[in-house]
Amino acid sequence: MNKDQILQASRNEYRRQDLSELEIRVQSGYWASVAGAIALAVVMVLGGFAWGVVFYAPVFIYFSMIAAQWTVRFLRLRHKTDLVTAITCGAVALLALGGFVYRLFGGIR
């Protein structure tokens, strides 16, 4: 293969996957997670101070999203630490869901 054929094969293989674009996607996912964590903390603190209540629904939503993100990372990269993080976040999400359902049906007031 000559140089032009190699370049053309590379372009065909990585079409629409520019490295800078991939880096921007990774960074945007990271900052979206940070923004979600800050928003969750604000909701939890305001709910605790204003009404003396713990809101379980936002915790469930946030940690389910993070668990899904780490699960995909594990399935693609096969790093065991990604699996441990996914399981931990999933467990927190399930606990929050349990608290939400328990409160929904009159358990905790």
Side-chain angles (χ1 to χ4, degrees):
M1 291 180 89
N2 65 17
K3 186 171 83 173
D4 292 331
Q5 290 173 331
I6 293 171
L7 285 173
Q8 186 59 36
S10 177
R11 285 187 195 111
N12 291 339
E13 184 177 345
Y14 293 108
R15 184 173 290 160
R16 295 186 194 161
Q17 298 215 354
D18 187 29
L19 265 120
S20 62
E21 184 179 326
L22 290 175
E23 174 109 4
I24 290 169
R25 286 181 187 175
V26 168
Q27 287 179 356
S28 66
Y30 169 77
W31 286 110
S33 297
V34 169
I38 291 170
L40 174 66
V42 167
V43 167
M44 297 297 285
V45 168
L46 288 177
F49 282 138
W51 299 290
V53 195
V54 175
F55 294 116
Y56 291 106
V59 176
F60 168 67
I61 293 167
Y62 179 74
F63 278 98
S64 331
M65 291 169 48
I66 299 300
Q69 180 182 14
W70 284 96
T71 301
V72 170
R73 279 185 64 159
F74 170 72
L75 293 174
R76 299 262 172 110
L77 301 174
R78 298 292 181 190
H79 294 151
K80 290 181 182 179
T81 55
D82 294 344
L83 178 62
V84 170
T85 305
I87 290 171
T88 303
C89 289
V92 171
L94 288 175
L95 287 171
L97 178 63
F100 176 72
V101 169
Y102 185 69
R103 179 178 289 163
L104 188 65
F105 292 110
I108 303 172
R109 294 279 173 191

